[in-house]
Structure formats: C-alpha cells, structure tokens
Amino acid sequence: MTLVSFFSFLSKPLIMLLSNSSWRLSQPSFFLVGIPGLEESQHWIAVPLGILYLLALVGNVTILFIIWMDPSLHQPMYLFLSMLAAIDLVLASSTAPKALAVLLVHAHESGYTVCLIQMFFIHAFSSMESGVLVAMALDRYVAICHPLHHSMILHPGVIGRIGMVVLVRGLLLLIPFPILLGKLIFCQATIIGHAYCEHMAVVKLACSETTVNRAYGLTVALLVIGLDVLAIGVSYAHILQAVLKVPGSEAQLKAFSTCGSHICVILVFYVPGIFSFLTHRFGHHVPRHVHVLLATLYLLMPPVLNPLVYGVKTQQICQRVLTVFTQKD
C-alpha cells in the first residue's frame, strides 16, 4: 500500500463523517496566516522547512528500504524502527506540504473538511509515534533484562499485535476531535494564526461553548504523554537496575550504548512537544511567531533526526546505508 492510498484509506471515513449534513448547515473555510508577525519573510523561512521535509522523506524512505531489503534486520528493534519511519513519513507529509504552500505561494485558504482531516492526522500520528517509542523501550528492556528469551517474547506475531494496538489507540483517541469540532459554531472570522490546522487554534475560533473540546484535548494529551512517559520511565528503571548488576564498567557501558539511539529519539520527540504544548496553553507571554515556529519544527524535527540518529548510532543501519551508496555497477 502506497503512502497516498494509505492516506486515502484513513481519510475516507472521516470525509463521510464530516460531510454529514446533520452536523452543520454551513462549513466555514479557514484562513491560515502562516507565521504571524513574519509575513514579509515567510518565503525565506519556507526554504529551510522545505529542506527539512526533503531530508525527512529521504531519511525515512532509506530506513524503510534498507530494513525491507535486508532479512538480517527483520528483528524486533528494526521492525519497530520501520514503524517509526512510516509514522514519521505520514506526520511530516501531514504538515509540511500545506505549510510550504502557505509560506511560498500564499495558499492560505483551507476547506473545513480538509482542515479537520489534517488536524486529525497530525494528532493521531503524534500519538502513534509516542506509542512506538514505548514499544521500543519495551524491546530494550527485554533485550537487556531477558536476552536469552528476547526472540521468543518479541516474535513477529507479538510485534504485529503491538503495532496494531498503537494504531488503534491513535485512531480511537483522536476520532472524537473532528466529531466534537463539527458541533461547534463559527460566527466570526475563521483566521488561524498557524501554517497548518492545529486543534486548539481551531477551537479558539468558535463562538459556542468549547469546554468539552478543551477538556478532552487536555485529557488526551495528558493521557498519552503521561502514560507513555511513565511506561518508558519504568522500562529504563528496570534496565538501569539490570545494567548496574553487570560486573565491569566496560560491560555496563556496552549495555547502555544499546539504548543510546532510543534515548536520543525520546528526547527529540518529547522535550519540544511538551514545551510546545505548555507554551500553547499557558505561555501567554511567548511571542506568537516563536510558538508557531516551535510547533512546526516539533512536527518536522523528529522525522528528520530519527533516521540520522539511528543511521549514525546503529552500526548495522550505518553499514547498510554505506553499502547502498558506495555500491558500484
């Protein structure tokens, strides 16, 4: 299944749902400002964003290609990495094309249904990425604490079920977002101070009661981030406990090094995400353009950096990449 057909497969039920005339008699279109306060220099900002998007596409497609083509990489860590790469492709492609269109060619208008579908994809796949990071922490825990039973515990069937749970959780938690937004009334200028459709930015435009939307959005954010960070923390607490029991500092360092890539990816995803979330809800003194730039980079940086982190810090991936690009006819 190609990326385009995957988008179409997931979008079709949402389009049917959002097009239901019993929801709303009129559906407004939204005007995406881009980066408020930096309108005159937006085309220059689009250049590095475009480069980041291109790097995300090349990096994640390369990771998927190498893992797909090399049977020796069909192991739990690399299968989870392929899930992460696929999610990063969708996440970057949900954000960057529209943001670049707004910044470069001033395509500011976004239809009601299109805006809500973009919002759904961004938040749903962010939730899925968090879920995959938990799965990768579980893989590191089993590999270090139960090395002899690693392949028995995390066999392909279990990995497939974990992937399905991550997918279903992301969809079920985020489907209420567009449903609840569909019940709001917009009676003022629908101008979004963003380069893409973001949940709270759309909620703030409504002139009807938004308490349920705000409460559910906050609940989902705290539930996903809170439980996932807790699960990762528990996994690494057990890993730390097991590693410290290993005799010899060299053996301990080697055990810790197997977690280095995953820890880097966790920091890249959660730190900017939590900062963006807090500034959006509580950072009233943070300049608007700073928040919008951070929110956009938060969605683009993990897809860019994840392949680089695993490509540099994982010997098997690095060797396969070098082999592919240095191969001569």
Side-chain angles (χ1 to χ4, degrees):
M1 183 181 286
T2 65
L3 194 60
V4 173
S5 61
F6 183 65
F7 266 93
S8 176
F9 172 75
L10 287 183
S11 299
K12 196 172 292 183
L14 278 176
I15 293 172
M16 294 174 63
L17 193 60
L18 295 173
S19 301
N20 190 336
S21 60
S22 65
W23 280 33
R24 304 174 53 82
L25 296 176
S26 62
Q27 296 179 347
S29 60
F30 296 98
F31 185 91
L32 297 170
V33 172
I35 303 174
L38 299 177
E39 288 82 1
E40 297 300 321
S41 55
Q42 286 189 148
H43 56 287
W44 294 111
I45 297 171
V47 174
L49 289 182
I51 293 172
L52 288 176
Y53 179 49
L54 183 61
L55 289 173
L57 292 180
V58 172
N60 287 290
V61 168
T62 301
I63 290 290
L64 286 171
F65 174 76
I66 287 172
I67 293 174
W68 177 268
M69 294 300 293
D70 191 340
S72 69
L73 296 179
H74 295 177
Q75 301 171 28
M77 184 177 82
Y78 300 109
L79 293 176
F80 287 130
L81 178 57
S82 66
M83 292 182 196
L84 190 68
I87 290 170
D88 280 340
L89 279 174
V90 177
L91 197 56
S93 298
S94 300
T95 311
K98 183 57 183 177
L100 291 172
V102 171
L103 300 178
L104 281 176
V105 297
H106 306 293
H108 295 283
E109 189 171 351
S110 180
Y112 175 82
T113 302
V114 172
C115 184
L116 265 59
I117 288 174
Q118 183 190 34
M119 178 211 69
F120 171 79
F121 269 86
I122 288 171
H123 292 292
F125 279 85
S126 294
S127 168
M128 291 178 203
E129 176 141 353
S130 182
V132 171
L133 292 178
V134 174
M136 295 174 87
L138 173 65
D139 170 63
R140 291 299 83 207
Y141 162 73
V142 176
I144 291 174
C145 298
H146 305 282
L148 299 179
H149 303 94
H150 186 212
S151 58
M152 293 174 58
I153 296 173
L154 290 177
H155 59 79
V158 170
I159 293 171
R161 286 193 285 273
I162 291 173
M164 188 58 64
V165 168
V166 169
L167 176 66
V168 170
R169 185 190 74 158
L171 295 178
L172 290 181
L173 283 178
L174 274 302
I175 281 177
F177 272 29
I179 295 175
L180 292 172
L181 284 171
K183 298 180 182 296
L184 298 180
I185 298 171
F186 298 91
C187 52
Q188 58 184 355
T190 49
I191 300 173
I192 299 176
H194 255 283
Y196 60 88
C197 291
E198 197 272 335
H199 178 248
M200 282 307 301
V202 176
V203 169
K204 289 177 180 178
L205 296 176
C207 53
S208 56
E209 181 58 47
T210 61
T211 303
V212 174
N213 300 75
R214 293 171 182 270
Y216 186 74
L218 182 61
T219 301
V220 169
L222 294 177
L223 191 65
V224 170
I225 295 174
L227 291 181
D228 288 358
V229 170
L230 177 64
I232 291 171
V234 169
S235 295
Y236 272 98
H238 284 288
I239 289 171
L240 181 62
Q241 188 178 28
V243 170
L244 292 177
K245 291 179 180 178
V246 176
S249 58
E250 187 175 338
Q252 291 178 351
L253 186 61
K254 185 177 179 180
F256 276 128
S257 68
T258 64
C259 302
S261 300
H262 186 239
I263 292 172
C264 290
V265 168
I266 289 171
L267 294 175
V268 165
F269 181 75
Y270 284 113
V271 173
I274 293 172
F275 183 75
S276 177
F277 172 78
L278 292 175
T279 54
H280 193 78
R281 288 182 178 268
F282 309 111
H284 304 297
H285 300 295
V286 177
R288 185 64 183 161
H289 66 273
V290 172
H291 168 69
V292 173
L293 281 171
L294 285 175
T296 306
L297 288 173
Y298 156 63
L299 294 173
L300 279 178
M301 291 310 292
V304 172
L305 294 178
N306 290 349
L308 293 176
V309 168
Y310 274 95
V312 171
K313 294 186 72 66
T314 307
Q315 188 177 4
Q316 293 90 330
I317 295 288
C318 187
Q319 287 176 346
R320 301 310 188 277
V321 171
L322 291 175
T323 301
V324 168
F325 286 103
T326 58
Q327 221 170 20
K328 295 181 180 179
D329 296 331

